[in-house]
Every structure is written in structure tokens, then in C-alpha cells.
Amino acid sequence: LIIYAVFYELPEGLKIVTRFTVLILFSSLLMLTTRTSVMIDALESFLKPLSCIGVDPSKCSLALSLTIRFIPLIIKIFNEVRI
């Protein structure tokens, strides 16, 4: 926001900050209300058309599921290191 206020215009910076805030809130709502398996299945079916150019949908889905699975562990380790 400060960079936009200095180099561009303040309303433009506020608009971008608002977009990021809404994006984070909606993604948090999605994560809280949707099972991980459903999100992984949706991602895999969404990426199936890209298999013709070499993208492996199952590997991408596995990467996402591992990332989601280890976020709480990473937060726990981060908090232990801070103490």
C-alpha cells in the first residue's frame, strides 16, 4: 500500500489491498467448509485437459494435498522455533 501511495495513487493501492483481503477471506472460507479430498478431486479433473501438454494431474493433486497436509506442522515448527 505504501509503495502504491508513493509511486502511484492511493485509491489504486487500496483497491489492490482490498482484492488481496477478499481473496484471502474467500480462500479461508473454502478451506474451512470443503473437505480436502473434494478439492483434490476437483483440481485433478480441472487439470485433466492439460495432460496433452505433459502436465500430470495426479502429481499436481498430490503436491497440493501434501502442501495442505503439512501446513499445520510447519506452523507448529515455526512457533517452536520462535520460542
Side-chain angles (χ1 to χ4, degrees), residues 14-77:
L14 289 173
K15 185 168 79 171
I16 290 175
V17 169
T18 304
R19 285 181 182 173
F20 274 119
T21 304
V22 169
L23 180 69
I24 290 170
L25 289 175
F26 278 129
S27 64
S28 297
L29 181 65
L30 177 72
M31 293 294 294
L32 289 172
T33 58
T34 308
R35 293 186 317 200
T36 306
S37 60
V38 173
M39 286 191 290
I40 300 305
D41 292 340
L43 177 69
E44 194 165 344
S45 63
F46 178 74
L47 292 177
K48 273 204 171 121
L50 296 178
S51 61
C52 64
I53 60 170
V55 175
D56 188 0
S58 60
K59 285 185 181 180
C60 292
S61 299
L62 177 64
L64 179 67
S65 66
L66 288 173
T67 302
I68 291 171
R69 165 64 183 96
F70 283 107
I71 287 174
L73 181 64
I74 292 170
I75 291 172
K76 180 182 173 193
I77 292 171

